Amino acid sequence: MTRSILSVAVSAAVLAGSVAIAASAHAGDCPAGQMRDGARTSGQTMPKGVTDNVLSAIPLGGEIHGLDGRQLRLRKLVVQPGGVVPWHSHADRPALIMTVSGSITEYRSTCAVGIEHPAGDVAREAGGISHWWRNNGRVPAVLLAADIKNDGLPASADHM
């Protein structure tokens, strides 16, 4: 009997965790009714209170045919309260950004309102979107960014 209760409790905990993960996977999306092309055409243009360190990178040309001049990077960004990651485009530079701690607000070209990204959230940056980010909170926001960088683009295209 005890084993059966324990089994049910473990199953319920796993299910609850799965539901929580599924719900949080969409926490950082643009709210319904707020998505529109050209919702924003510019934003903050200068970095402020942000560090961006490349933790590691892999040149992809030797790994995957046709990807010469590109690299897969893992970066750590720390955005201080009031800090800004300036307006930049993801044309030709897809990325996934995970908020590790703190919270940060994204101002995306396709959304009329700011999108909050709390700890644990993953933002998908692709399809040529442009955006900028600001830490409106009281603690630093720590982000991990995985992107594919085109080495042929100018440094200014890398937003920092």
Side-chain angles (χ1 to χ4, degrees), residues 12-22:
V14 168
L15 178 61
S18 298
V19 169
I21 288 169

Side-chain angles (χ1 to χ4, degrees), residues 8 51 117:
V8 169
T51 58
H117 295 284

